Amino acid sequence: QVQLVESGGGLVQAGGSLRLSCAASGSIFRFRVMGWYRQAPGKQRELVAQMTSAGTTNYADSVKGRFTISRDNAKNTVYLQMNSLKPEDTAVYFCNVFGIIGVLDTDRNMYWGQGTQVTVSS
């Protein structure tokens, strides 16, 4: 099974930066789409950023210009560089991947990390 291991969360002051990592640890699969969602208390889970294997990106409007997604296909790892953090960025951030390269009809099956807490103090 696919195991997504997240790291890099923590507590920072407003205006600070964090870099999240998500590795498909031990997985033989590579994914067409890798990215991040987040969920704050009392709110729905929302898309933060995605990146395809072709290099195209998609960002939530609320993070555009502040966050940068990247991926290292050799390491099967996706990153999220978060700059200029705001208190409203406080949430649990979940790694999300789908679309197993070389396997048909897998886009509908999403895999999730367990989440890493990001807390931004004011």
Side-chain angles (χ1 to χ4, degrees):
Q1 297 294 319
V2 175
Q3 299 287 329
L4 303 179
V5 180
E6 299 147 328
S7 63
L11 173 64
V12 297
Q13 293 184 338
S17 298
L18 286 172
R19 184 174 184 253
L20 305 183
S21 299
C22 172
S25 182
S27 178
I28 65 171
F29 302 121
R30 299 176 66 187
F31 302 94
R32 185 178 69 83
V33 182
M34 305 182 76
W36 297 88
Y37 283 70
R38 68 185 181 187
Q39 187 167 24
K43 295 187 176 181
Q44 293 182 316
R45 189 173 297 187
E46 64 175 351
L47 174 69
V48 179
Q50 292 177 320
M51 190 173 189
T52 72
S53 57
T56 58
T57 58
N58 182 36
Y59 293 94
D61 288 341
S62 60
V63 308
K64 198 170 298 181
R66 299 188 297 120
F67 292 9
T68 303
I69 191 169
S70 61
R71 56 190 284 175
D72 185 337
N73 292 325
K75 296 180 179 179
N76 214 8
T77 299
V78 62
Y79 306 93
L80 186 68
Q81 179 67 45
M82 304 186 294
N83 297 328
S84 302
L85 283 162
K86 304 174 181 179
E88 49 263 46
D89 294 318
T90 296
V92 178
Y93 284 70
F94 297 91
C95 184
N96 167 255
V97 304
F98 63 92
I100 298 173
I101 295 174
V103 182
L104 295 175
D105 301 323
T106 55
D107 275 14
R108 65 181 180 272
N109 298 319
M110 290 187 171
Y111 299 91
W112 297 90
Q114 64 182 354
T116 184
Q117 178 71 46
V118 171
T119 302
V120 184
S121 63
S122 60

